[in-house]
Amino acid sequence: MSLSLRRILAIGASLTAGVAVLVVPSTATAEPDLATTVRSAVLAQHGAALREQWGTRSLREPLFEPTRTSGDWVFGSTTVPMAYGQEHGSPLMALFLAKRTGKTWKVEFDGTPGFASLAQQAPVLSDGEKETFRNNASGVQTLADTGLGLPWPQGVAWWMGGGPHGNSGSTRPFSSIDFNGGDGRVLSAGPGRAYKSCIRGRSALVKVVHDNGYSTTYYHMYDLTTLADGSAVRTGTYLGHIGNELPCGGSSSGAHVHFSLLKGNTHISVNGMTIGGWTFYEGAQAYGGYAQRGSTRVNVGGRVTNYGAGTTLPTGTVNGGSNSSVNLRSGPGLSYDTVGTVANGTVVSIACTARGETVQGVWGPTDLWNRLEDGKWISDGFVDTGTNEPVAAAC
């Protein structure tokens, strides 16, 4: 006798109210149920590492959260919760896709070729999801430039409250960074598909599967997006608000978002990775380290401006007219100190643009000022960018 999919989903729904032990009727002993298969598979993949990181006593039973079913197919998530009060971090979550053949279940987790292959056949997934999962599994997975932004509006600076650290605190890999600031609204770091797991009240663990081989997770948030699981999101789509929420265990002091980088369901180090135009480096210990952009370095406790996806900045060519060079200023105006010069014909990279004092430039008056990578300012009236409008994010 086998468990029906309706029974499986009912069991999974009951588990979302708390971590519990699945009770399987004795008549089903001849056939492994899906919940047991999923739990066993996620622990086979991550159990040893989690026991080492968290300790055997802190390792709780994985949640089984199926969300869709069609015939012999089931899609959902499984999450290994942290103990409450455990070292700061977030739980481990994986999306699963399962197909029943006879008396056995084939289970695959996101980010793997097996998952992507199985997804193409799955009636429980939309065509858009199938494409995302296919691209995610085959996407560029080794580039230091992730092609992702930081999880708040471009051109805005947030505090880096905790530098690179483990998803479960001090353990490696250092895949996570803590941020807070602005209006507290957490936004998707890139385009992809959004999913929630371990939903408790107003909070959950949110995951975005990106097309380029990476995934990102967001923890401690409240007032989450109401988008249905699997909905397409763009860079900047609202996901939630920074907080101290612990829907699946852990600890938090001070409202923030615990932002993590993954390949599939496996956390990867952010050391040397470029996100939001900054390359992040870990320190000797967890929560240390810094962010580097050109000659600018921001240590823990400093403010990091989100420059968006990638490291390529808009450029312009210096044109001082009859002058052989143009003065650089410490701020966006002629009343600021002169801090250097740049010769005509020099191609400069523009980090961001702001409104400041009006200057009579080569092409007429303008109040646009461009901040270069080294933090110095030059009037847009002396930089040929091909347009009279800003070409970079607002400072």
Side-chain angles (χ1 to χ4, degrees):
M1 176 179 177
S2 64
L3 289 176
S4 68
L5 291 179
R6 181 176 296 177
R7 171 63 174 154
I8 291 169
L9 292 177
I11 293 169
S14 70
L15 288 173
T16 62
V19 179
V21 177
L22 177 68
V23 178
V24 182
S26 59
T27 53
T29 55
E31 178 183 335
D33 62 275
L34 180 56
T36 299
T37 302
V38 168
R39 288 189 175 109
S40 298
V42 75
L43 289 178
Q45 182 177 0
H46 296 290
L50 292 179
R51 288 186 183 93
E52 181 179 351
Q53 294 171 9
W54 298 354
T56 301
R57 291 184 179 180
S58 296
L59 188 61
R60 302 168 66 194
E61 184 175 57
L63 300 181
F64 171 65
E65 299 177 302
T67 56
R68 306 178 208 167
T69 177
S70 177
D72 291 323
W73 293 84
V74 181
F75 174 76
S77 66
T78 179
T79 305
V80 184
M82 300 183 74
Y84 290 97
Q86 189 175 341
E87 184 177 6
H88 171 73
S90 71
L92 185 140
M93 173 258 202
L95 299 173
F96 75 80
L97 183 59
K99 181 182 181 182
R100 183 172 58 184
T101 304
K103 294 184 177 181
T104 62
W105 287 100
K106 178 179 176 62
V107 174
E108 297 282 356
F109 293 126
D110 61 310
T112 65
F115 183 95
S117 177
L118 200 62
Q120 305 315 304
Q121 314 164 39
V124 289
L125 299 176
S126 68
D127 289 343
E129 287 177 294
K130 292 177 182 179
E131 181 179 6
T132 293
F133 290 134
R134 181 175 60 249
N135 292 338
N136 181 264
S138 61
V140 176
Q141 303 220 352
T142 56
L143 291 182
D145 186 346
T146 63
L148 301 173
L150 289 163
W152 61 85
Q154 187 170 334
V156 174
W158 274 27
W159 302 100
M160 182 167 64
H165 56 280
N167 185 55
S168 57
S170 60
T171 55
R172 294 182 182 277
F174 287 174
S175 62
S176 308
I177 311 171
D178 295 337
F179 296 109
N180 68 90
D183 60 5
R185 291 166 52 87
V186 179
L187 312 180
S188 177
R193 301 267 166 183
Y195 299 88
K196 304 185 194 80
S197 69
C198 199
I199 300 173
R200 301 289 186 274
R202 65 177 187 173
S203 187
L205 176 65
V206 178
K207 180 174 190 174
V208 177
V209 179
H210 304 288
D211 289 339
N212 64 353
Y214 294 102
S215 294
T216 47
T217 58
Y218 311 76
Y219 195 52
H220 300 311
M221 300 187 303
Y222 66 90
D223 285 351
L224 304 183
T225 174
T226 58
L227 290 173
D229 265 17
S231 295
V233 295
R234 298 177 296 178
T235 302
T237 296
Y238 175 79
L239 299 178
H241 194 283
I242 61 172
N244 290 298
E245 306 300 307
L246 302 171
C248 233
S251 64
S252 175
S253 58
H256 68 283
V257 61
H258 178 93
F259 175 70
S260 301
L261 183 67
L262 304 87
K263 291 178 183 175
N265 60 84
T266 300
H267 286 257
I268 61 172
S269 174
V270 296
N271 188 52
M273 306 297 279
T274 300
I275 308 170
W278 295 86
T279 303
F280 290 87
Y281 295 97
E282 63 184 46
Q285 297 179 338
Y287 303 100
Y290 59 95
Q292 188 83 33
R293 179 179 172 84
S295 60
T296 303
R297 171 171 168 162
V298 176
N299 295 317
V300 174
R303 288 163 58 86
V304 178
T305 298
N306 178 21
Y307 291 108
T311 58
T312 302
L313 298 176
T315 60
T317 303
V318 175
N319 183 350
S322 59
N323 299 311
S324 60
S325 65
V326 175
N327 288 334
L328 299 175
R329 302 285 177 169
S330 61
L334 296 178
S335 61
Y336 289 86
D337 293 337
T338 299
V339 291
T341 60
V342 60
N344 279 357
T346 301
V347 176
V348 293
S349 295
I350 302 170
C352 60
T353 301
R355 299 284 179 179
E357 298 175 17
T358 299
V359 171
Q360 186 66 33
V362 175
W363 298 278
T366 179
D367 64 351
L368 287 179
W369 285 78
N370 299 313
R371 191 173 76 188
L372 307 183
E373 284 190 283
D374 59 3
K376 299 174 183 177
W377 294 79
I378 186 172
S379 169
D380 194 64
F382 303 109
V383 181
D384 183 4
T385 61
T387 177
N388 291 328
E389 300 301 318
V391 296
C395 295

Coordinates of all heavy atoms in Angstrom, one line a residue, residues 204-236:
A204 N 9.8 34.2 6.6 CA 10.2 32.9 5.9 C 11.7 33.1 5.4 O 12.2 34.2 5.5 CB 9.3 32.6 4.7
L205 N 12.3 32.1 5.0 CA 13.5 32.2 4.2 C 13.2 32.3 2.8 O 12.4 31.5 2.2 CB 14.4 30.9 4.4 CG 15.7 30.8 3.6 CD1 16.6 31.9 4.1 CD2 16.3 29.4 3.8
V206 N 13.7 33.4 2.1 CA 13.4 33.6 0.7 C 14.6 33.3 -0.1 O 15.7 33.7 0.2 CB 13.0 35.1 0.5 CG1 12.7 35.4 -1.0 CG2 11.8 35.4 1.3
K207 N 14.4 32.7 -1.2 CA 15.4 32.3 -2.2 C 15.1 32.8 -3.6 O 14.0 32.6 -4.0 CB 15.6 30.8 -2.2 CG 16.8 30.3 -3.1 CD 17.0 28.8 -2.9 CE 18.2 28.3 -3.7 NZ 18.5 26.9 -3.4
V208 N 16.1 33.3 -4.3 CA 15.9 33.7 -5.7 C 16.9 32.9 -6.5 O 18.1 32.9 -6.2 CB 16.2 35.2 -5.9 CG1 16.1 35.5 -7.4 CG2 15.2 36.0 -5.1
V209 N 16.4 32.1 -7.4 CA 17.2 31.3 -8.3 C 17.4 32.1 -9.6 O 16.5 32.5 -10.3 CB 16.5 30.0 -8.7 CG1 17.3 29.2 -9.7 CG2 16.2 29.2 -7.5
H210 N 18.7 32.5 -9.8 CA 19.1 33.3 -10.9 C 19.4 32.5 -12.2 O 19.8 31.3 -12.1 CB 20.2 34.2 -10.6 CG 20.0 35.1 -9.3 ND1 19.1 36.1 -9.3 CD2 20.5 34.9 -8.0 CE1 19.1 36.6 -8.1 NE2 19.9 35.9 -7.3
D211 N 19.4 33.2 -13.3 CA 19.6 32.5 -14.6 C 21.1 32.2 -14.8 O 21.4 31.4 -15.7 CB 19.1 33.3 -15.8 CG 17.6 33.3 -15.8 OD1 16.9 32.4 -15.2 OD2 17.0 34.3 -16.4
N212 N 22.0 32.8 -14.1 CA 23.4 32.7 -14.4 C 24.2 31.7 -13.6 O 25.4 31.7 -13.6 CB 24.0 34.1 -14.3 CG 24.0 34.6 -12.8 OD1 23.4 34.0 -12.0 ND2 24.7 35.7 -12.6
G213 N 23.5 30.8 -12.9 CA 24.2 29.8 -12.2 C 24.3 30.0 -10.7 O 24.7 29.1 -10.0
Y214 N 23.9 31.2 -10.3 CA 23.9 31.5 -8.8 C 22.5 31.6 -8.3 O 21.5 31.8 -9.0 CB 24.6 32.9 -8.6 CG 26.1 32.9 -9.0 CD1 26.5 33.5 -10.1 CD2 27.0 32.3 -8.1 CE1 27.9 33.5 -10.5 CE2 28.4 32.3 -8.4 CZ 28.8 32.9 -9.6 OH 30.1 32.9 -9.9
S215 N 22.4 31.5 -7.0 CA 21.2 31.7 -6.2 C 21.5 32.6 -5.1 O 22.7 32.6 -4.6 CB 20.5 30.4 -5.8 OG 20.1 29.6 -6.8
T216 N 20.6 33.3 -4.5 CA 20.8 34.1 -3.3 C 19.6 33.9 -2.4 O 18.5 33.6 -2.8 CB 20.8 35.6 -3.7 OG1 19.7 36.0 -4.5 CG2 22.1 36.0 -4.4
T217 N 20.0 33.9 -1.1 CA 18.9 33.8 0.0 C 18.9 35.0 0.9 O 19.9 35.7 1.0 CB 19.1 32.5 0.8 OG1 20.4 32.5 1.4 CG2 19.0 31.3 -0.1
Y218 N 17.8 35.2 1.5 CA 17.5 36.4 2.3 C 16.8 36.0 3.6 O 15.7 35.4 3.5 CB 16.7 37.4 1.5 CG 17.2 37.7 0.1 CD1 17.0 36.7 -0.9 CD2 17.8 38.8 -0.2 CE1 17.4 36.9 -2.2 CE2 18.3 39.1 -1.5 CZ 18.1 38.1 -2.5 OH 18.5 38.3 -3.8
Y219 N 17.4 36.3 4.8 CA 16.8 35.8 6.0 C 16.7 36.9 7.0 O 17.3 38.0 6.9 CB 17.7 34.7 6.6 CG 17.1 33.8 7.7 CD1 15.9 33.2 7.5 CD2 17.8 33.7 8.9 CE1 15.3 32.4 8.5 CE2 17.2 32.9 9.9 CZ 16.0 32.3 9.7 OH 15.4 31.5 10.7
H220 N 15.8 36.7 8.0 CA 15.5 37.7 9.1 C 14.5 38.7 8.7 O 14.2 39.7 9.4 CB 16.7 38.4 9.6 CG 17.8 37.5 10.2 ND1 17.5 36.5 11.1 CD2 19.1 37.4 10.0 CE1 18.6 35.9 11.5 NE2 19.6 36.4 10.8
M221 N 13.8 38.6 7.5 CA 12.9 39.6 7.0 C 11.5 39.4 7.5 O 11.1 38.3 7.9 CB 12.9 39.6 5.5 CG 14.3 39.9 4.8 SD 14.1 40.0 3.0 CE 13.3 38.5 2.6
Y222 N 10.7 40.5 7.4 CA 9.2 40.4 7.6 C 8.5 41.2 6.5 O 9.2 41.7 5.7 CB 8.9 40.9 9.0 CG 9.1 42.4 9.2 CD1 8.1 43.3 8.9 CD2 10.3 42.9 9.7 CE1 8.3 44.7 9.1 CE2 10.5 44.2 9.9 CZ 9.5 45.1 9.6 OH 9.7 46.5 9.8
D223 N 7.2 41.2 6.6 CA 6.4 41.8 5.5 C 6.9 41.4 4.1 O 7.3 42.2 3.3 CB 6.5 43.4 5.6 CG 5.7 43.9 6.7 OD1 4.9 43.1 7.3 OD2 5.8 45.1 7.1
L224 N 6.9 40.1 3.9 CA 7.4 39.5 2.7 C 6.6 39.8 1.5 O 5.4 40.1 1.6 CB 7.6 38.0 2.9 CG 8.4 37.5 4.1 CD1 8.5 36.0 4.0 CD2 9.8 38.1 4.1
T225 N 7.2 39.7 0.3 CA 6.5 39.8 -0.9 C 5.3 38.8 -0.9 O 5.4 37.7 -0.4 CB 7.4 39.5 -2.1 OG1 6.6 39.4 -3.3 CG2 8.1 38.1 -2.0
T226 N 4.2 39.2 -1.6 CA 3.1 38.3 -1.7 C 3.1 37.6 -3.0 O 2.1 36.8 -3.3 CB 1.8 39.1 -1.6 OG1 1.8 40.2 -2.6 CG2 1.7 39.8 -0.3
L227 N 4.2 37.7 -3.8 CA 4.3 36.9 -5.0 C 4.2 35.4 -4.8 O 4.8 34.9 -3.8 CB 5.6 37.3 -5.7 CG 5.7 38.7 -6.3 CD1 7.2 38.9 -6.8 CD2 4.8 38.9 -7.5
A228 N 3.6 34.7 -5.6 CA 3.5 33.3 -5.5 C 4.8 32.6 -5.8 O 5.6 33.2 -6.5 CB 2.4 32.7 -6.5
D229 N 5.1 31.5 -5.1 CA 6.3 30.8 -5.4 C 6.5 30.5 -6.9 O 5.6 30.1 -7.6 CB 6.4 29.4 -4.6 CG 7.0 29.6 -3.3 OD1 7.2 30.7 -2.8 OD2 7.4 28.5 -2.7
G230 N 7.7 30.8 -7.4 CA 8.0 30.5 -8.8 C 7.8 31.8 -9.6 O 8.0 31.7 -10.9
S231 N 7.3 32.9 -9.0 CA 7.1 34.1 -9.8 C 8.4 34.7 -10.3 O 9.4 34.6 -9.6 CB 6.3 35.1 -9.0 OG 5.1 34.7 -8.6
A232 N 8.4 35.2 -11.5 CA 9.5 35.9 -12.0 C 9.8 37.2 -11.3 O 8.8 37.9 -11.0 CB 9.4 36.1 -13.5
V233 N 11.0 37.5 -11.0 CA 11.4 38.7 -10.3 C 12.5 39.4 -11.2 O 13.3 38.7 -11.9 CB 11.9 38.6 -8.9 CG1 10.8 38.1 -8.0 CG2 13.1 37.6 -8.8
R234 N 12.6 40.7 -11.1 CA 13.6 41.4 -11.8 C 14.6 41.9 -10.7 O 14.3 41.9 -9.5 CB 13.0 42.6 -12.5 CG 12.0 42.2 -13.6 CD 11.4 43.5 -14.3 NE 10.6 44.2 -13.3 CZ 10.0 45.4 -13.6 NH1 10.1 45.9 -14.8 NH2 9.3 46.0 -12.7
T235 N 15.7 42.5 -11.2 CA 16.6 43.1 -10.3 C 15.9 44.3 -9.6 O 15.3 45.1 -10.3 CB 17.8 43.7 -11.0 OG1 18.5 42.6 -11.7 CG2 18.8 44.4 -10.1
G236 N 15.8 44.3 -8.3 CA 15.1 45.4 -7.6 C 13.7 45.0 -7.2 O 13.0 45.9 -6.6

